[in-house]
Amino acid sequence: MKKINISNKTPHVIRWVEDFKYKVWDRVVNCLTGMRPSGRLHLWHFKWALENWLLMQDTQNIKNNFLIADYQVLWDHLWDTERLRSAVVNMVIDWLSVWLDPKKSNFVVQSYVPEFAELFNLLTMFTPYSVATNNPTLKDEMKKIENRWEWENSSVSLWFINYPVSQVADIMLPKWEIVPVWEDQIPHIELARKIIKKVNTMYGTSFPLPMALISETPRLVGTDGNDKMSKSLWNTIYLTATLNEIKKWVNSMYTDSWKTSVSAPWNIENHVVFKYLDIFYSDKVHLEELKKRYIEGWENSVWDWELKKLLVKILDELISPIREKREYYKNNMDLVISSIEEGSENVRKIWQELLQELKEKMWIIWYWKS
Ligand code: TRP
């Protein structure tokens, strides 16, 4: 087993492959991660998050909790809660369809655990205004919201400014230690550590300081080659895609080869199909050979349509079992509902106990006692 030394790095960031995948923890660690239910999940969610969650789910000494962060979407959909409702249900169905198992991990809906809101209320008091508003990720997101189209909601609510603190509440109470996140969320983990340290010092509590677990999966470009796969850019392959939809998106992929002349070596730097094959094709030897032939050019070359055909096959092999499971869960909604009800209830019990403990330490209960 690989031996890992993480002491010489930033203490609150651990890397998935180097530090975590091969690490043998000598005790049970609590892990929480979450997603905003903002729409159907796509390939990027699968590659960057769900695939790692599946590995974590099968690691015996990690206790996993997967959070459906509905408040992080609700503030923006107050006039359109129907969309949030269907996004929550669809996200849970997607989770189940990629084989996340509610028997092994808790699926938790943020708003099903009112203690979360109570703790959030307390934590805002520990957070200086300047610290809350100086968060680079928050600033970035606020700018994006303010630059939205006229017909969209372009005002940032007070809740949104506070969302990193709400995320601290998600993390702190049940003593989660490992928080798998995308890199942009690291400032929130830093905030969590600051706030939790403050609470611990002031009240003699021992809430662990969380660590961010970072996945090294490179960002998946959109089917148009845009840096980001996103539904608003129309460059997305959903986990619900039919074979025809996969074909449509793969065939539309940009390959850049028209730019080079026949005799010149072919350029694959902006070749979207190869970028996808890099991530999804497991036969790396064959892939290298294809690249070599493609770059060398004519005689022994491969055509774009051949690469596209290969990619369609690989993606369909990945997506078709998910599609099938999705149908199953759509016809067995009771399983979907019970997964979030049971998970939220399990977590709620822990929250209630710990919140009580914290309030005792803070001496904000039993006002009549001396
Ligand atoms: N902010 C995360 C996202 O954008 C979701 C999230 C909410 C989360 N609470 C969390 C992630 C706590 C990790 C831990 O998807």
Side-chain angles (χ1 to χ4, degrees), residues 344-355:
S344 305
E345 209 34 52
N346 290 343
V347 167
R348 195 172 173 205
K349 282 189 202 122
I350 314 175
W351 277 62
Q352 277 170 337
E353 231 171 76
L354 288 157
L355 183 63

Side-chain angles (χ1 to χ4, degrees), residues 302-321:
V302 265
W303 297 97
D304 281 332
W305 65 263
E306 289 175 274
L307 295 171
K308 288 183 170 175
K309 205 169 145 198
L310 174 66
L311 182 59
V312 167
K313 180 170 156 281
I314 292 165
L315 292 182
D316 192 53
E317 275 168 11
L318 173 74
I319 292 177
S320 67

Side-chain angles (χ1 to χ4, degrees), residues 44-286:
W44 159 246
H45 294 112
F46 180 78
K47 219 39 211 179
W48 156 75
L50 300 173
E51 208 174 45
N52 291 344
W53 295 11
L54 284 169
L55 283 171
M56 282 163 26
Q57 165 174 282
D58 288 324
T59 310
Q60 260 186 351
N61 44 357
I62 309 179
K63 264 211 211 139
N64 291 296
N65 299 277
F66 301 127
L67 181 80
I68 298 144
D70 53 348
Y71 284 135
Q72 288 201 10
V73 177
L74 177 63
W75 74 270
D76 202 19
H77 287 278
L78 291 172
W79 288 272
D80 188 13
T81 44
E82 198 50 46
R83 227 169 96 188
L84 170 65
R85 293 172 62 81
S86 82
V88 168
V89 173
N90 275 309
M91 194 166 85
V92 178
I93 296 180
D94 281 338
W95 285 5
L96 290 165
S97 308
V98 298
W99 282 267
L100 282 179
D101 182 351
K103 295 267 174 288
K104 295 184 185 164
S105 317
N106 289 318
F107 293 5
V108 191
V109 181
Q110 212 175 22
S111 67
Y112 284 12
V113 185
E115 288 75 13
F116 150 80
E118 200 176 341
L119 178 69
F120 173 41
N121 175 44
L122 291 174
L123 293 186
T124 54
M125 303 180 196
F126 288 88
T127 317
Y129 179 76
S130 58
V131 171
T133 46
N134 230 338
N135 180 318
T137 300
L138 179 73
K139 279 190 192 164
D140 229 45
E141 286 175 306
M142 278 167 62
K143 221 176 269 149
K144 273 189 210 142
I145 293 165
E146 279 156 6
N147 287 337
R148 279 176 179 176
W149 297 100
E150 260 167 59
W151 40 270
E152 282 182 308
N153 173 17
S154 58
S155 55
V156 174
S157 74
L158 201 48
W159 193 91
F160 191 75
I161 296 175
N162 242 331
Y163 102 79
V165 184
S166 93
Q167 212 157 299
V168 181
D170 293 336
I171 294 168
M172 172 176 149
L173 198 62
K175 307 194 174 181
W176 318 126
E177 292 179 72
I178 306 287
V179 186
V181 280
W182 179 244
E183 295 195 359
D184 67 351
Q185 306 280 302
I186 291 176
H188 306 341
I189 304 290
E190 285 165 356
L191 178 70
R193 292 170 71 91
K194 270 192 202 144
I195 296 180
I196 294 172
K197 255 190 217 158
K198 209 170 183 178
V199 175
N200 283 346
T201 333
M202 285 175 88
Y203 296 105
T205 47
S206 53
F207 294 103
L209 304 180
M211 290 183 285
L213 174 64
I214 300 299
S215 159
E216 277 117 317
T217 312
R219 207 175 241 298
L220 182 62
V221 296
T223 52
D224 56 356
N226 191 305
D227 268 0
K228 207 174 156 198
M229 181 176 258
S230 150
K231 70 168 185 285
S232 52
L233 297 173
W234 286 92
N235 60 6
T236 302
I237 301 179
Y238 291 108
L239 295 182
T240 50
T242 60
L243 176 60
N244 274 337
E245 283 165 340
I246 299 175
K247 277 186 186 157
K248 181 187 114 193
W249 287 114
V250 171
N251 285 334
S252 76
M253 280 179 185
Y254 182 58
T255 52
D256 206 26
S257 38
W258 60 272
K259 275 193 177 172
T260 45
S261 73
V262 172
S263 54
W266 299 70
N267 180 11
I268 61 165
E269 209 177 298
N270 296 318
H271 197 292
V272 179
V273 183
F274 273 122
K275 288 191 179 174
Y276 274 67
L277 289 172
D278 276 338
I279 294 182
F280 292 99
Y281 192 26
S282 54
D283 188 344
K284 298 297 173 214
V285 178
H286 186 218

